[in-house]
Amino acid sequence: MQKSIDNRTKNRSQMRRGSLADQLHYKFDNFMSRGTVALVSGLALVSLAFIFLMSVLVSLFGVAPEGSDRLDLPESLWSVLMRTLDSGTVGGDTGWAFRLTMLFVTFGGIFVVSTLIGLLSNGINTKLEDLRKGRSRVIETDHIVILGWSLQIFTLISELALANANRPNTCIVVLSELDKVQMETDLYDTLGKLSRIRLVCRTGSPSSMVDLGMVSIQTARSIIILNPSHDQADTQLVKTLLAITSIPRSHSQPYHIVAQVQTPKTLDVIKLIGQNEVEPLLSNDLISRIVVQTCRQSGLSIVYMDLLNFSGDEIYFKAEPALHGKTYGQALLSYNDSTVIGIQHANGAIQLNPPSDTLLQADGQLIAISKDDDTIHLTKHVNPPIDSQAIRIAEPAIARAEHTLILGWSDRVSNIIQQLDHYVAPGSTVVVMAEFPAAEVDLSEETLQLQKQTVSYQQGNPTDRAVLERLNLLEYDHVVVLCNPALDAEQADAQTLVTLLHLRDISDRHQHDFQIVTEILDVRNQALAQVARPDDFVISEQIVSLMLAQVSEQKQINAVLADLFNAEGSEIYLKPVTNYVAVDYPVNFYTVVEAGRQRGESAIGYRRQADANNMAMSFGIVINPPKDQLIEFKPEDVIIVLAES
């Protein structure tokens, strides 16, 4: 009885373990599933064992070619190896014993060694395919990482290349879900070969911690997050920020993250996630403010482009101990080749164009426009050469009602109208025309809460010449042409260009010069827009790209840009030169700066109206001119200033 029980137990144990063949089959399956490295290693060992075994047998039994001496072990190893690698070698063998033995060796080579070579070849192809897919790890430090992909990336990388031209071996790593080869092709076709900049593209998700580790996010100097404009854009941004901040930093410095944000409500969430590590750029709001400011002043967008790109003069911060205890007004005249525009106080607060009698504190810094951060030097003039006789202080012009036409529709329309209300005089009007039925558009008083303007809406197609003719364009001072967000960039820009051509033709026919601001999404279409001769451009993707590049290089710039484009405080204005100096004879820019100081303004440049349509001359815009250089102004020229209004 006990023996029967023991047998049943033994049988059940054998059933659980399986037969020897099953166990060997199971172990073989496990081995095969380990991948190419395990297979190559296993087959290499089998191949070596087979070659060695056959060599020993050949040497031991004295198998040799007819008429040859017995082969020793080294010679037999070589003979067997050659026949496993090349099946044609057996064709020259003599003696049937040796032929049959080597034929067996050759068959072994075909089944074992050839399989090994095939696996090696497949492994190499697989590795090359992985490299093509952009899934290999980036081993970099102090590099710039761009997360995401949009039209902004071309201008962004171009500007970063200019900003880092004096830093050899700068690496810019792009991580997006696009194919690596496609990204590299698009970047090369648009930007060409960038000197002294290494571009590395990787395919992956910006919100994946594994993929972020692949681009060495923890060692990056700065991180730029591109955030396309769609409903879930900020949701993905929050996920990406959470993933980045969950990866421990490899340096003592905190992360420097510049993030493009679509909606203001996301800012509170970003503060909770990144604290002081994230510099958010509220792109839609900033573009709306720029549209409003540029639609009222011809040439203003060119000033912004000049300040924001790295090919001209930029904004820098400068600690100047020699000026501590002096006033802001004295600081305005203390530099010949740089232009002071504000102060950063000891607590980090930014104040552009403060009152002239504001004292400069020991822990504060000046905010200045200069060619580079190492070109901000105090003037050699002990007493600035100011021509007091040339200064003219004119009375401010009386504000009048303005009439604005907005063609097209986007999510920014309401914000544009609300921002415009901060600048215009009472009695101003805004007319919006788009293809949507009036019932689908909310421009009610309750929504907009305007103080100085009235708003009306008309349904119509802005690309239709007859529709534009019926609008009576002669009544308007400013026209804003917006792109259709429902279309791709090329189609939207094409419609904008058609509208622009009609507007300029109507303007020329009636000899009525109204101010036109055009939104162009793709910077590559800017040259086409020049044909229609618009006064200004607001290239949405380019403006945002320039801001992202500036903030990625200088974290403090974000606060300056927020103040500069805010309706409260000082903004950039272009005002008649006759309000500042006489135009009867040449004067230097020291005199212009002093005239501005007496008006509570900071002069930063001028515009020659004679070159207003000359692209090669920056449309007449000159920022940060040498202050001791004589300038021959014309009555139609304007001075560019930072002022309250």
Side-chain angles (χ1 to χ4, degrees):
M1 183 68 179
Q2 181 64 36
K3 184 177 180 180
S4 177
I5 295 174
D6 291 342
N7 287 335
R8 287 198 298 268
T9 304
K10 183 178 180 180
N11 290 335
R12 284 197 296 267
S13 178
Q14 288 179 344
M15 289 176 63
R16 284 195 298 267
R17 291 198 307 267
S19 65
L20 178 61
D22 291 338
Q23 291 183 38
L24 291 175
H25 189 271
Y26 175 67
K27 290 180 179 180
F28 178 76
D29 288 346
N30 286 338
F31 176 78
M32 294 293 288
S33 65
R34 291 180 182 178
T36 302
V37 175
L39 290 175
V40 169
S41 302
L43 281 173
L45 290 175
V46 172
S47 300
L48 290 174
F50 174 76
I51 292 170
F52 183 77
L53 176 61
M54 293 305 301
S55 300
V56 170
L57 292 175
V58 168
S59 178
L60 182 63
F61 290 103
V63 180
E66 189 176 63
S68 299
D69 296 333
R70 181 190 186 105
L71 299 177
D72 57 14
L73 184 59
E75 284 294 331
S76 64
L77 277 171
W78 180 256
S79 296
V80 170
L81 177 63
M82 289 300 98
R83 284 156 180 81
T84 56
L85 294 178
D86 184 5
S87 58
T89 306
V90 75
D93 293 338
T94 58
W96 282 105
F98 188 74
R99 285 175 177 172
L100 292 174
T101 303
M102 290 303 139
L103 181 62
F104 179 76
V105 169
T106 301
F107 282 136
I110 292 173
F111 288 109
V112 180
V113 179
S114 296
T115 305
L116 172 62
I117 295 173
L119 281 173
L120 285 171
S121 177
N122 183 67
I124 292 172
N125 290 333
T126 301
K127 185 61 179 177
L128 291 174
E129 182 65 18
D130 288 340
L131 291 174
R132 191 198 71 80
K133 291 179 180 179
R135 297 296 299 169
S136 60
R137 186 182 175 191
V138 174
I139 308 298
E140 295 284 350
T141 58
D142 198 38
H143 55 299
I144 302 170
V145 176
I146 301 174
L147 302 178
W149 185 274
S150 71
L151 286 171
Q152 300 162 2
I153 200 165
F154 304 111
T155 301
L156 177 58
I157 292 178
S158 177
E159 289 299 311
L160 290 173
L162 287 173
N164 291 275
N166 59 348
R167 299 184 63 161
N169 204 31
T170 297
C171 180
I172 300 175
V173 180
V174 180
L175 174 67
S176 85
E177 296 182 352
L178 293 181
D179 179 74
K180 171 182 179 289
V181 176
Q182 179 185 343
M183 289 189 283
E184 291 174 340
T185 302
D186 290 347
L187 289 172
Y188 183 80
D189 289 346
T190 304
L191 302 177
K193 183 174 177 57
L194 298 173
S195 60
R196 308 186 73 178
I197 297 292
R198 288 184 296 110
L199 274 178
V200 178
C201 296
R202 290 293 181 265
T203 300
S205 171
S207 59
S208 166
M209 292 179 63
V210 174
D211 292 347
L212 291 174
M214 181 176 63
V215 297
S216 296
I217 201 82
Q218 65 275 14
T219 62
R221 183 206 321 164
S222 62
I223 304 163
I224 303 170
I225 305 177
L226 298 180
N227 189 13
S229 179
H230 56 75
D231 293 340
Q232 301 298 321
D234 281 353
T235 303
Q236 291 299 318
L237 170 64
V238 170
K239 288 178 61 180
T240 300
L241 290 174
L242 284 170
I244 295 173
T245 54
S246 297
I247 300 175
R249 184 76 164 143
S250 296
H251 301 316
S252 57
Q253 298 88 355
Y255 279 112
H256 175 27
I257 306 171
V258 185
Q260 181 186 353
V261 184
Q262 300 295 339
T263 57
K265 63 183 180 182
T266 310
L267 296 177
D268 292 334
V269 180
I270 290 176
K271 289 180 181 178
L272 294 175
I273 297 173
Q275 299 179 0
N276 296 324
E277 294 182 320
V278 182
E279 287 296 324
L281 228 65
L282 198 58
S283 55
N284 280 335
D285 184 67
L286 285 171
I287 292 173
S288 298
R289 294 174 188 270
I290 294 171
V291 167
V292 168
Q293 292 184 18
T294 55
C295 81
R296 303 181 64 249
Q297 301 184 80
S298 177
L300 185 55
S301 69
I302 306 167
V303 176
Y304 286 148
M305 290 291 187
D306 199 333
L307 287 176
L308 292 175
N309 65 43
F310 287 98
S311 59
D313 292 48
E314 299 95 49
I315 299 172
Y316 296 99
F317 293 80
K318 175 72 171 179
E320 198 67 79
L323 296 180
H324 292 165
K326 294 188 177 182
T327 65
Y328 175 74
Q330 292 173 304
L332 287 174
L333 300 166
S334 297
Y335 297 91
N336 187 71
D337 300 314
S338 301
T339 300
V340 176
I341 62 172
I343 299 173
Q344 183 187 42
H345 296 287
N347 61 358
I350 300 295
Q351 189 176 13
L352 298 180
N353 186 41
S356 181
D357 57 358
T358 302
L359 293 177
L360 305 179
Q361 302 298 324
D363 295 331
Q365 294 188 91
L366 290 173
I367 306 171
I369 300 172
S370 191
K371 293 188 181 300
D372 209 339
D373 55 356
D374 58 359
T375 60
I376 307 175
H377 304 296
L378 291 171
T379 181
K380 297 179 180 179
H381 298 284
V382 178
N383 295 309
I386 297 172
D387 185 357
S388 301
Q389 299 299 319
I391 294 177
R392 303 285 186 269
I393 305 298
E395 292 295 327
I398 299 175
R400 64 176 184 83
E402 301 175 29
H403 306 287
T404 304
L405 172 65
I406 299 176
L407 298 174
W409 185 268
S410 74
D411 295 338
R412 291 191 286 269
V413 168
S414 296
N415 197 8
I416 289 173
I417 296 172
Q418 290 172 328
Q419 292 296 329
L420 192 60
D421 200 56
H422 294 291
Y423 295 94
V424 298
S428 299
T429 63
V430 177
V431 174
V432 180
M433 191 189 76
E435 296 184 78
F436 300 106
E440 298 180 10
V441 176
D442 183 11
L443 294 174
S444 62
E445 295 182 6
E446 294 78 10
T447 301
L448 299 176
Q449 297 182 351
L450 304 178
Q451 303 294 323
K452 303 173 185 176
Q453 303 175 106
T454 57
V455 179
S456 60
Y457 179 81
Q458 297 184 30
Q459 183 180 2
N461 184 358
T463 63
D464 190 327
R465 177 61 176 259
V467 171
L468 293 176
E469 292 279 11
R470 290 196 296 268
L471 284 173
N472 192 9
L473 296 173
L474 305 183
E475 297 180 354
Y476 298 100
D477 303 296
H478 322 296
V479 179
V480 177
V481 184
L482 299 177
C483 285
N484 186 347
L487 304 176
D488 62 49
E490 284 298 323
Q491 290 179 305
D493 285 350
Q495 290 191 359
T496 299
L497 293 173
V498 170
T499 302
L500 201 53
L501 288 168
H502 288 320
L503 289 173
R504 273 302 167 203
D505 184 58
I506 294 172
S507 172
D508 291 343
R509 288 175 180 271
H510 295 87
Q511 296 183 340
H512 177 67
D513 189 21
F514 43 72
Q515 177 72 27
I516 301 177
V517 168
T518 311
E519 181 183 29
I520 299 293
L521 297 180
D522 192 340
V523 65
R524 292 171 289 189
N525 292 324
Q526 180 179 359
L528 299 177
Q530 293 292 340
V531 177
R533 297 177 292 112
D535 295 296
D536 283 286
F537 301 96
V538 175
I539 307 171
S540 302
E541 305 294 340
Q542 186 182 26
I543 286 284
V544 174
S545 301
L546 295 175
M547 291 181 182
L548 289 170
Q550 287 283 345
V551 180
S552 73
E553 292 297 309
Q554 284 193 96
K555 186 176 183 178
Q556 301 159 298
I557 288 290
N558 198 18
V560 175
L561 297 178
D563 195 346
L564 187 63
F565 298 123
N566 197 332
E568 299 178 1
S570 295
E571 302 92 45
I572 295 179
Y573 290 91
L574 287 79
K575 299 186 177 183
V577 64
T578 51
N579 290 0
Y580 296 86
V581 294
V583 294
D584 304 327
Y585 55 91
V587 296
N588 60 36
F589 205 69
Y590 274 114
T591 304
V592 176
V593 172
E594 173 59 20
R597 186 196 67 79
Q598 294 181 21
R599 294 167 57 96
E601 302 170 354
S602 300
I604 66 172
Y606 60 90
R607 186 187 197 188
R608 294 185 185 276
Q609 194 60 34
D611 296 323
N613 294 318
N614 189 343
M615 185 188 301
M617 298 297 293
S618 297
F619 301 97
I621 298 291
V622 179
I623 301 294
N624 185 37
K627 293 185 180 62
D628 57 0
Q629 181 180 344
L630 291 176
I631 308 166
E632 189 172 347
F633 288 111
K634 301 296 182 184
E636 62 271 16
D637 294 339
V638 294
I639 303 298
I640 306 169
V641 297
L642 268 172
E644 292 284 344
S645 61

PDB file of all heavy atoms in Angstrom, residues 335-337 379 381 385 587-590 625-631:
ATOM      1  N   TYR A 335      26.450 105.847 -21.004  1.00  0.00           N
ATOM      2  CA  TYR A 335      26.969 104.869 -21.966  1.00  0.00           C
ATOM      3  C   TYR A 335      26.880 105.453 -23.371  1.00  0.00           C
ATOM      4  O   TYR A 335      25.859 106.038 -23.745  1.00  0.00           O
ATOM      5  CB  TYR A 335      26.179 103.569 -21.903  1.00  0.00           C
ATOM      6  CG  TYR A 335      26.285 102.861 -20.572  1.00  0.00           C
ATOM      7  CD1 TYR A 335      25.359 103.117 -19.564  1.00  0.00           C
ATOM      8  CD2 TYR A 335      27.305 101.950 -20.323  1.00  0.00           C
ATOM      9  CE1 TYR A 335      25.456 102.480 -18.332  1.00  0.00           C
ATOM     10  CE2 TYR A 335      27.402 101.307 -19.104  1.00  0.00           C
ATOM     11  CZ  TYR A 335      26.478 101.575 -18.110  1.00  0.00           C
ATOM     12  OH  TYR A 335      26.576 100.953 -16.897  1.00  0.00           O
ATOM     13  N   ASN A 336      27.955 105.273 -24.140  1.00  0.00           N
ATOM     14  CA  ASN A 336      27.959 105.767 -25.512  1.00  0.00           C
ATOM     15  C   ASN A 336      27.447 104.720 -26.496  1.00  0.00           C
ATOM     16  O   ASN A 336      26.723 105.051 -27.436  1.00  0.00           O
ATOM     17  CB  ASN A 336      29.371 106.199 -25.911  1.00  0.00           C
ATOM     18  CG  ASN A 336      29.402 106.870 -27.278  1.00  0.00           C
ATOM     19  OD1 ASN A 336      28.915 107.991 -27.433  1.00  0.00           O
ATOM     20  ND2 ASN A 336      29.953 106.189 -28.270  1.00  0.00           N
ATOM     21  N   ASP A 337      27.800 103.456 -26.274  1.00  0.00           N
ATOM     22  CA  ASP A 337      27.458 102.399 -27.229  1.00  0.00           C
ATOM     23  C   ASP A 337      26.402 101.439 -26.703  1.00  0.00           C
ATOM     24  O   ASP A 337      26.166 100.387 -27.302  1.00  0.00           O
ATOM     25  CB  ASP A 337      28.717 101.613 -27.606  1.00  0.00           C
ATOM     26  CG  ASP A 337      29.770 102.504 -28.237  1.00  0.00           C
ATOM     27  OD1 ASP A 337      29.408 103.300 -29.120  1.00  0.00           O
ATOM     28  OD2 ASP A 337      30.944 102.408 -27.840  1.00  0.00           O
ATOM     29  N   THR A 379      30.820 105.516 -20.714  1.00  0.00           N
ATOM     30  CA  THR A 379      31.329 106.461 -21.699  1.00  0.00           C
ATOM     31  C   THR A 379      32.611 107.143 -21.216  1.00  0.00           C
ATOM     32  O   THR A 379      32.841 107.294 -20.004  1.00  0.00           O
ATOM     33  CB  THR A 379      30.270 107.536 -22.010  1.00  0.00           C
ATOM     34  OG1 THR A 379      30.793 108.438 -22.992  1.00  0.00           O
ATOM     35  CG2 THR A 379      29.898 108.318 -20.765  1.00  0.00           C
ATOM     36  N   HIS A 381      33.208 110.182 -22.053  1.00  0.00           N
ATOM     37  CA  HIS A 381      32.876 111.610 -21.935  1.00  0.00           C
ATOM     38  C   HIS A 381      32.572 111.949 -20.477  1.00  0.00           C
ATOM     39  O   HIS A 381      31.642 111.392 -19.886  1.00  0.00           O
ATOM     40  CB  HIS A 381      31.669 111.962 -22.801  1.00  0.00           C
ATOM     41  CG  HIS A 381      31.898 111.744 -24.269  1.00  0.00           C
ATOM     42  ND1 HIS A 381      32.655 112.601 -25.038  1.00  0.00           N
ATOM     43  CD2 HIS A 381      31.474 110.758 -25.113  1.00  0.00           C
ATOM     44  CE1 HIS A 381      32.678 112.166 -26.287  1.00  0.00           C
ATOM     45  NE2 HIS A 381      31.968 111.049 -26.360  1.00  0.00           N
ATOM     46  N   PRO A 385      28.259 115.401 -24.526  1.00  0.00           N
ATOM     47  CA  PRO A 385      28.115 116.548 -25.436  1.00  0.00           C
ATOM     48  C   PRO A 385      26.657 116.777 -25.853  1.00  0.00           C
ATOM     49  O   PRO A 385      26.242 116.393 -26.955  1.00  0.00           O
ATOM     50  CB  PRO A 385      28.994 116.152 -26.619  1.00  0.00           C
ATOM     51  CG  PRO A 385      28.987 114.662 -26.610  1.00  0.00           C
ATOM     52  CD  PRO A 385      28.909 114.252 -25.177  1.00  0.00           C
ATOM     53  N   VAL A 587      22.291 116.638 -35.108  1.00  0.00           N
ATOM     54  CA  VAL A 587      22.467 116.572 -33.648  1.00  0.00           C
ATOM     55  C   VAL A 587      22.910 115.147 -33.292  1.00  0.00           C
ATOM     56  O   VAL A 587      22.686 114.205 -34.051  1.00  0.00           O
ATOM     57  CB  VAL A 587      21.173 116.918 -32.888  1.00  0.00           C
ATOM     58  CG1 VAL A 587      20.744 118.345 -33.143  1.00  0.00           C
ATOM     59  CG2 VAL A 587      20.051 115.950 -33.259  1.00  0.00           C
ATOM     60  N   ASN A 588      23.545 115.012 -32.129  1.00  0.00           N
ATOM     61  CA  ASN A 588      23.931 113.666 -31.703  1.00  0.00           C
ATOM     62  C   ASN A 588      22.813 113.049 -30.867  1.00  0.00           C
ATOM     63  O   ASN A 588      21.869 113.717 -30.455  1.00  0.00           O
ATOM     64  CB  ASN A 588      25.260 113.686 -30.946  1.00  0.00           C
ATOM     65  CG  ASN A 588      25.205 114.549 -29.700  1.00  0.00           C
ATOM     66  OD1 ASN A 588      24.185 114.606 -29.010  1.00  0.00           O
ATOM     67  ND2 ASN A 588      26.297 115.233 -29.387  1.00  0.00           N
ATOM     68  N   PHE A 589      22.955 111.740 -30.603  1.00  0.00           N
ATOM     69  CA  PHE A 589      21.886 111.031 -29.894  1.00  0.00           C
ATOM     70  C   PHE A 589      21.913 111.320 -28.399  1.00  0.00           C
ATOM     71  O   PHE A 589      20.912 111.088 -27.717  1.00  0.00           O
ATOM     72  CB  PHE A 589      21.979 109.525 -30.155  1.00  0.00           C
ATOM     73  CG  PHE A 589      20.658 108.815 -30.003  1.00  0.00           C
ATOM     74  CD1 PHE A 589      19.632 109.027 -30.909  1.00  0.00           C
ATOM     75  CD2 PHE A 589      20.421 107.952 -28.943  1.00  0.00           C
ATOM     76  CE1 PHE A 589      18.399 108.395 -30.772  1.00  0.00           C
ATOM     77  CE2 PHE A 589      19.203 107.308 -28.789  1.00  0.00           C
ATOM     78  CZ  PHE A 589      18.187 107.530 -29.701  1.00  0.00           C
ATOM     79  N   TYR A 590      23.039 111.818 -27.863  1.00  0.00           N
ATOM     80  CA  TYR A 590      23.042 112.271 -26.470  1.00  0.00           C
ATOM     81  C   TYR A 590      21.964 113.334 -26.267  1.00  0.00           C
ATOM     82  O   TYR A 590      21.249 113.344 -25.263  1.00  0.00           O
ATOM     83  CB  TYR A 590      24.407 112.867 -26.102  1.00  0.00           C
ATOM     84  CG  TYR A 590      25.440 111.868 -25.645  1.00  0.00           C
ATOM     85  CD1 TYR A 590      26.587 111.642 -26.404  1.00  0.00           C
ATOM     86  CD2 TYR A 590      25.284 111.171 -24.455  1.00  0.00           C
ATOM     87  CE1 TYR A 590      27.549 110.728 -25.990  1.00  0.00           C
ATOM     88  CE2 TYR A 590      26.239 110.261 -24.033  1.00  0.00           C
ATOM     89  CZ  TYR A 590      27.372 110.043 -24.801  1.00  0.00           C
ATOM     90  OH  TYR A 590      28.322 109.142 -24.377  1.00  0.00           O
ATOM     91  N   PRO A 625      21.880 103.525 -31.378  1.00  0.00           N
ATOM     92  CA  PRO A 625      22.938 104.161 -32.177  1.00  0.00           C
ATOM     93  C   PRO A 625      24.033 104.711 -31.255  1.00  0.00           C
ATOM     94  O   PRO A 625      23.776 104.994 -30.077  1.00  0.00           O
ATOM     95  CB  PRO A 625      22.191 105.301 -32.874  1.00  0.00           C
ATOM     96  CG  PRO A 625      21.092 105.655 -31.927  1.00  0.00           C
ATOM     97  CD  PRO A 625      20.666 104.357 -31.286  1.00  0.00           C
ATOM     98  N   PRO A 626      25.265 104.869 -31.756  1.00  0.00           N
ATOM     99  CA  PRO A 626      26.308 105.538 -30.956  1.00  0.00           C
ATOM    100  C   PRO A 626      25.850 106.955 -30.608  1.00  0.00           C
ATOM    101  O   PRO A 626      25.450 107.722 -31.487  1.00  0.00           O
ATOM    102  CB  PRO A 626      27.517 105.545 -31.883  1.00  0.00           C
ATOM    103  CG  PRO A 626      27.257 104.451 -32.869  1.00  0.00           C
ATOM    104  CD  PRO A 626      25.772 104.402 -33.053  1.00  0.00           C
ATOM    105  N   LYS A 627      25.913 107.301 -29.345  1.00  0.00           N
ATOM    106  CA  LYS A 627      25.309 108.571 -28.911  1.00  0.00           C
ATOM    107  C   LYS A 627      26.108 109.802 -29.333  1.00  0.00           C
ATOM    108  O   LYS A 627      25.556 110.907 -29.392  1.00  0.00           O
ATOM    109  CB  LYS A 627      25.118 108.561 -27.392  1.00  0.00           C
ATOM    110  CG  LYS A 627      24.089 107.546 -26.916  1.00  0.00           C
ATOM    111  CD  LYS A 627      23.857 107.660 -25.421  1.00  0.00           C
ATOM    112  CE  LYS A 627      22.836 106.644 -24.942  1.00  0.00           C
ATOM    113  NZ  LYS A 627      23.263 105.248 -25.148  1.00  0.00           N
ATOM    114  N   ASP A 628      27.404 109.638 -29.611  1.00  0.00           N
ATOM    115  CA  ASP A 628      28.191 110.821 -30.005  1.00  0.00           C
ATOM    116  C   ASP A 628      28.214 111.024 -31.512  1.00  0.00           C
ATOM    117  O   ASP A 628      28.850 111.954 -32.011  1.00  0.00           O
ATOM    118  CB  ASP A 628      29.620 110.705 -29.474  1.00  0.00           C
ATOM    119  CG  ASP A 628      30.323 109.428 -29.953  1.00  0.00           C
ATOM    120  OD1 ASP A 628      29.691 108.642 -30.693  1.00  0.00           O
ATOM    121  OD2 ASP A 628      31.494 109.221 -29.576  1.00  0.00           O
ATOM    122  N   GLN A 629      27.520 110.189 -32.249  1.00  0.00           N
ATOM    123  CA  GLN A 629      27.475 110.309 -33.710  1.00  0.00           C
ATOM    124  C   GLN A 629      26.393 111.297 -34.130  1.00  0.00           C
ATOM    125  O   GLN A 629      25.252 111.228 -33.669  1.00  0.00           O
ATOM    126  CB  GLN A 629      27.206 108.946 -34.325  1.00  0.00           C
ATOM    127  CG  GLN A 629      27.152 108.950 -35.850  1.00  0.00           C
ATOM    128  CD  GLN A 629      26.881 107.568 -36.412  1.00  0.00           C
ATOM    129  OE1 GLN A 629      27.020 106.572 -35.714  1.00  0.00           O
ATOM    130  NE2 GLN A 629      26.479 107.516 -37.662  1.00  0.00           N
ATOM    131  N   LEU A 630      26.745 112.222 -35.028  1.00  0.00           N
ATOM    132  CA  LEU A 630      25.779 113.213 -35.503  1.00  0.00           C
ATOM    133  C   LEU A 630      24.779 112.567 -36.453  1.00  0.00           C
ATOM    134  O   LEU A 630      25.129 111.741 -37.290  1.00  0.00           O
ATOM    135  CB  LEU A 630      26.500 114.359 -36.207  1.00  0.00           C
ATOM    136  CG  LEU A 630      27.354 115.274 -35.312  1.00  0.00           C
ATOM    137  CD1 LEU A 630      28.097 116.310 -36.150  1.00  0.00           C
ATOM    138  CD2 LEU A 630      26.487 115.959 -34.261  1.00  0.00           C
ATOM    139  N   ILE A 631      23.521 112.956 -36.294  1.00  0.00           N
ATOM    140  CA  ILE A 631      22.433 112.407 -37.111  1.00  0.00           C
ATOM    141  C   ILE A 631      21.688 113.565 -37.755  1.00  0.00           C
ATOM    142  O   ILE A 631      21.320 114.539 -37.077  1.00  0.00           O
ATOM    143  CB  ILE A 631      21.462 111.580 -36.254  1.00  0.00           C
ATOM    144  CG1 ILE A 631      22.219 110.531 -35.435  1.00  0.00           C
ATOM    145  CG2 ILE A 631      20.409 110.909 -37.126  1.00  0.00           C
ATOM    146  CD1 ILE A 631      21.394 109.903 -34.342  1.00  0.00           C
TER     147      ILE A 631
END
